[in-house]
Amino acid sequence: MRKRVVVFNVAMAALVCAVALVTGPFVLILPRGVAISVADWWCRANLKLLRALVGIDLEIRGVENIPKGAALVAAKHHSALETFGLMPSLSDPAFVLKRELTWLPFFGWFLLRMKMIAIDRKAGSEALVQIIEQAKVAAADGRQIVIYPEGTRRKVGEAPRYKLGVGHLYERLGLPCHPVAIDAGVFWPKGTIARRQGRAVIEFLDPIPAGLDRVAFQEMVRQRIETATEALVAEARYGKRN
């Protein structure tokens, strides 16, 4: 399995280079929709490579809960899998990400052209202001604002640490929030090259309506994501998936 993972990593890197060489020089001048289409194709290609080379498939559940227009999407973050596994399900996502990613040649240009929400995580409270300002613009354009409420990847079973940013964003945007549970960490653990074959799941849960008290929302989104994620993890480890 280790060799297959190495082959996948090399193939994924080669794919990035190929896409960058072909489209990178033009991405900043082409319509934003072109960059989105290329990124969507790249994400789907990565999923096919992951399935073919490593034996990890991805199932999307709760399709009826996927937002069509402006909404807040709060997702569990286990691994790199959901970074390219979520995008094909959303029509025009604006991911909250660290601004250092936009400094990368070619790849960063795509992020800039797609108008992702890039923030300086070292800026403290100013980072929250950056998120809200950019998220308001994205929401006005009917986009889905995607945030990982814990701010970083967490290992399966690790105690959750939800930051206050998701609550402030929910309150200031006045949009419904679509929680997302994920069990990718069972198959793609954080901090190791080890992988486990099987079918990971990304599940869009029932949306939380806009207008709730921020503190109540913060607890509700944490409870929903963690409860559903724990159920998916238990199913992946001990249950049966046909």
Side-chain angles (χ1 to χ4, degrees):
M1 174 60 77
R2 185 178 294 269
K3 290 182 179 179
R4 297 175 68 181
V5 172
V6 171
V7 172
F8 166 74
N9 290 340
V10 172
M12 188 167 63
L15 184 62
V16 170
C17 292
V19 171
L21 288 173
V22 173
T23 64
F26 311 105
V27 70
L28 293 179
I29 60 174
L30 289 173
R32 191 174 71 88
V34 174
I36 293 173
S37 296
V38 172
D40 183 81
W41 178 88
W42 176 77
C43 290
R44 293 177 188 274
N46 281 336
L47 291 173
K48 290 180 180 179
L49 285 174
L50 187 65
R51 183 188 310 118
L53 298 177
V54 186
I56 297 177
D57 201 359
L58 178 65
E59 175 188 354
I60 304 296
R61 295 182 184 176
V63 175
E64 68 279 4
N65 294 322
I66 297 176
K68 300 295 190 294
L72 179 62
V73 177
K76 188 68 178 179
H77 196 12
H78 273 167
S79 72
L81 194 161
E82 57 267 16
T83 60
F84 55 81
L86 271 171
M87 185 166 181
S89 295
L90 301 170
S91 59
D92 192 1
F95 283 79
V96 177
L97 47 82
K98 57 184 180 182
R99 69 174 183 177
E100 288 83 357
L101 291 175
T102 65
W103 299 343
L104 298 173
F106 298 110
F107 183 77
W109 300 350
F110 272 97
L111 297 178
L112 290 171
R113 191 69 187 99
M114 291 188 292
K115 296 183 180 179
M116 296 303 184
I117 300 174
I119 61 168
D120 179 4
R121 295 198 297 187
K122 298 179 181 179
S125 59
E126 179 61 27
L128 180 58
V129 175
Q130 295 172 13
I131 294 175
I132 292 173
E133 289 179 349
Q134 295 179 66
K136 284 183 175 179
V137 174
D141 290 336
R143 304 176 66 192
Q144 302 84 46
I145 294 86
V146 183
I147 186 171
Y148 299 114
E150 295 171 279
T152 188
R153 291 174 296 164
R154 306 290 290 174
K155 293 181 179 179
V156 172
E158 193 173 6
R161 293 182 181 177
Y162 282 63
K163 297 184 178 181
L164 298 178
V166 65
H168 285 285
L169 198 55
Y170 167 82
E171 182 179 57
R172 296 292 295 275
L173 292 178
L175 293 174
C177 176
H178 294 247
V180 179
I182 292 169
D183 66 1
V186 174
F187 307 92
W188 188 321
K190 175 186 176 182
T192 175
I193 197 173
R195 301 289 183 267
R196 172 186 164 182
Q197 293 182 328
R199 177 154 42 91
V201 173
I202 290 178
E203 182 176 6
F204 287 83
L205 308 174
D206 292 338
I208 299 173
L212 300 182
D213 172 77
R214 175 167 54 84
V215 176
F217 163 78
Q218 188 84 26
E219 175 58 25
M220 182 180 295
V221 74
R222 184 197 66 80
Q223 189 273 335
R224 285 198 185 181
I225 292 175
E226 292 304 312
T227 299
T229 294
E230 288 175 7
L232 290 178
V233 168
E235 178 188 321
R237 283 178 165 172
Y238 313 114
K240 294 182 180 180
R241 287 182 179 167
N242 297 324

